[in-house]
């Protein structure tokens, strides 16, 4: 029988009880500027576990302080962060879900105000120096804060920050790590020729632009437990067809390069590198076609996650059944409905599946 939305997904020694993942979503809700989780993070993440999602992924969690988008982003650059996150991972695990962490560095898109305050570059003492492969600021306008091109020592430091962050995440009880290499943040800035002008080992050819990500994947894999899966989120395309940019063919090639390094799943998103991007559609499943190509065209054995515009049980179930992806990654619909997975099981008449755990306290409602 082919898999459906409520067939467990086994990656390495880890069984994700069903194919619904809560997409990483920044909450910009740390108090002060310390990157520590608050009650909000606890409520936000644990309630989606109660709601039945097989895998609950944190928001982009900065591996170093200057890698935050805003001062209110979550971080994992100290043991205090790991200790605080451990309470959340144990609550998620107690609800039967797998806790995942997205490890991130915002690169030139760091040092901004929160979206609801305008998302503008922070000025003066509120802001900080941003770093990127090349010194092209974001956004390209007069308000842009300058960004500094990274030295090879900076690159070594960032690789090490990802490694140490993964160790801390492991000790905090996370079972899946996802490296954020999408949406125009630091690692995507290295991948894309739009933002990478370097002429050293980390820029130029495809192999050189992808080197930092391969080195980070290897560094994380060294410390990440053998039984626990490693994901990489990519932007499959820069959505800049009129200029030299990152393409879906590049993504297929990258997936083939990452799998042998111990990457188990490619989470296929798109865009975010440049304000001129042209998004062909934002309708239902608008990025599914890229995930399908990565899944079909890779030679290596690597799982694929589909994200973008998934809002119904039938849609999520169909993408698994039809082999377009291995995991349905649901973002905004989880903000509207924390119980998306339980509602999907109900709609699909799969409440009796092994991968569905209705809390006994809520039994009479389902
Ligand atoms: C996001 N997104 C996002 N992506 C990511 O990789 N790391 C992150 O921290 C965030 N933060 C974030 C915050 C909020 C409020 C939203 C709405 C989105 C993108 C998100 O994970 C997802 O890829 C997109 O929202 C598309 O999926 P949906 O929402 O159509 O299911």
């Amino acid at each position: 029988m082919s898999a459906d939305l409520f067939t467990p997904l086994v990656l390495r020694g880890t069984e994700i009880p069903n194919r619904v993942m809560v997409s990483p979503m920044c909450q910009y809700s740390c108090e002060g500027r310390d990157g520590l989780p608050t009650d909000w993070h606890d409520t936000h993440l644990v309630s989606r576990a109660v709601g039945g999602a097989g895998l609950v992924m944190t928001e982009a969690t900065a591996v170093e302080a200057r890698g935050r988008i805003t001062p209110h982003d979550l971080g994992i650059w100290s043991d205090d962060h790991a200790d605080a996150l451990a309470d959340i991972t144990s609550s998620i695990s107690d609800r039967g879900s797998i806790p995942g962490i997205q490890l991130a560095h915002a690169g030139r898109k760091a040092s901004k105000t929160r979206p609801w305050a305008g998302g503008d570059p922070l000025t003066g003492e509120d802001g900080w120096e941003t770093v990127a492969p090349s010194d092209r600021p974001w956004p390209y306008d007069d308000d842009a804060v300058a960004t500094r091109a990274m030295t090879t020592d900076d690159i070594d430091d960032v690789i090490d920050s990802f490694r140490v962050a993964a160790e801390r995440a492991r000790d905090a009880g996370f079972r899946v790590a996802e490296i954020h290499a999408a949406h125009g943040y630091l690692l995507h800035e290295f991948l894309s020729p739009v933002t990478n002008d370097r002429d050293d080992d980390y820029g130029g050819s495809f192999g050189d632009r992808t080197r930092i990500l391969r080195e980070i994947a290897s560094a994380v894999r060294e410390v990440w437990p053998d039984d626990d899966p490693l994901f990489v989120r990519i932007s499959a395309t820069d959505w800049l067809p009129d200029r030299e940019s990152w393409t879906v063919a590049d993504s297929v090639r990258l997936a083939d390069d990452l799998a042998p390094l111990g990457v188990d799943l490619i989470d296929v998103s798109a865009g975010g590198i440049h304000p001129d991007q042209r998004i062909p559609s934002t309708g239902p499943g608008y990025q599914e076609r890229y995930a399908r190509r990565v899944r079909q065209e890779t030679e290596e054995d690597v799982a694929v996650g589909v994200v973008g515009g998934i809002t119904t049980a039938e849609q999520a179930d169909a993408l698994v059944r039809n082999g377009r992806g291995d995991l349905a990654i649901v973002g905004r619909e989880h903000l509207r409905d924390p119980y998306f997975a339980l509602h999907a099981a109900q709609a699909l008449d799969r409440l009796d599946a092994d991968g569905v755990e209705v809390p006994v306290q809520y039994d009479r409602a389902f």
Side-chain angles (χ1 to χ4, degrees):
M1 203 182 87
S2 67
D4 73 6
L5 193 61
F6 292 98
T7 310
L9 176 62
V10 180
L11 294 171
R12 296 179 174 257
T14 300
E15 181 174 301
I16 300 168
N18 60 59
R19 308 296 182 102
V20 179
M21 169 175 137
V22 178
S23 202
M25 283 180 285
C26 284
Q27 300 296 295
Y28 311 105
S29 294
C30 298
E31 287 158 11
R33 298 166 69 104
D34 57 13
L36 289 167
T38 61
D39 281 355
W40 178 265
H41 298 95
D42 188 87
T43 305
H44 168 70
L45 294 166
V46 178
S47 58
R48 271 85 199 155
V50 174
L55 174 55
V56 177
M57 186 69 70
T58 67
E59 67 192 71
T61 305
V63 299
E64 53 177 44
R66 68 180 170 181
R68 289 169 297 170
I69 306 166
T70 81
H72 306 282
D73 293 16
L74 209 51
I76 186 153
W77 64 82
S78 81
D79 292 342
D80 288 347
H81 294 96
D83 289 347
L85 288 164
D87 291 338
I88 298 180
T89 58
S90 73
S91 298
I92 292 172
S93 303
D94 286 350
R95 305 278 82 78
S97 299
I98 300 288
I101 184 166
Q102 190 184 50
L103 301 173
H105 192 302
R108 69 176 188 160
K109 288 173 94 172
S111 189
K112 300 284 189 289
T113 63
R114 295 188 262 208
W116 53 82
D120 302 313
L122 281 166
T123 51
E125 285 185 1
D126 289 339
W128 60 89
E129 180 189 61
T130 66
V131 292
S134 304
D135 60 357
R136 297 170 169 209
W138 168 277
Y140 295 175
D141 62 25
D142 293 342
D143 291 328
V145 283
T147 198
R148 181 170 65 75
M150 290 168 77
T151 63
T152 43
D153 282 348
D154 291 323
I155 291 175
D156 290 345
D157 286 349
V158 164
I159 295 168
D160 206 50
S161 298
F162 272 92
R163 182 206 321 271
V164 176
E167 280 178 313
R168 293 198 171 103
R170 176 197 66 201
D171 296 344
F174 287 102
R175 301 288 312 285
V176 172
E178 173 167 283
I179 298 168
H180 193 353
H183 301 166
Y185 297 112
L186 182 70
L187 300 181
H188 186 187
E189 290 159 18
F190 273 90
L191 298 179
S192 175
V194 173
T195 37
N196 186 340
D197 298 329
R198 300 180 75 91
D199 56 10
D200 63 0
D201 287 349
Y202 293 93
S205 68
F206 176 90
D208 286 341
R209 280 181 282 115
T210 58
R211 184 182 309 279
I212 188 171
L213 177 55
R214 286 184 281 111
E215 291 183 350
I216 286 173
S218 298
V220 169
R221 191 23 99 197
E222 267 171 32
V223 299
W224 197 242
D226 277 348
D227 275 349
D228 292 350
L230 176 59
F231 294 7
V232 174
R233 173 167 276 202
I234 59 168
S235 282
T237 163
D238 285 342
W239 277 326
L240 293 165
D242 298 337
R243 67 185 81 170
E244 195 195 353
S245 59
W246 185 264
T247 65
V248 185
D250 291 327
S251 297
V252 172
R253 189 171 164 194
L254 177 67
D256 272 330
D257 287 349
L258 291 174
L261 306 178
V263 171
D264 305 292
L265 181 140
I266 306 293
D267 170 350
V268 182
S269 190
I273 201 80
H274 195 279
D276 290 347
Q277 69 180 12
R278 292 210 313 271
I279 308 176
S281 146
T282 53
Y286 63 95
Q287 293 169 158
E288 204 174 291
R289 73 187 100 157
Y290 312 129
R292 189 176 54 208
R293 274 195 59 191
V294 172
R295 195 165 192 263
Q296 286 175 350
E297 294 178 25
T298 42
E299 287 169 15
E300 297 287 334
D301 184 17
V302 65
V304 165
V306 179
V307 64
I310 301 173
T311 57
T312 71
E314 293 73 16
Q315 193 190 352
D317 190 48
L319 75 85
V320 177
R321 279 182 187 276
N322 298 338
R324 295 195 290 271
D326 301 281
L327 193 60
I329 304 176
V330 179
R332 287 162 295 172
E333 193 56 29
H334 264 126
L335 301 184
R336 291 184 278 265
D337 179 9
Y339 303 99
F340 174 80
L342 291 183
H343 283 144
Q346 194 170 33
L348 299 168
D349 203 16
R350 292 282 278 138
L351 280 171
D352 59 352
D354 288 344
V356 179
E357 195 176 315
V358 178
V360 66
Q361 297 90 334
Y362 294 1
D363 207 29
R364 285 197 288 172
F366 285 91

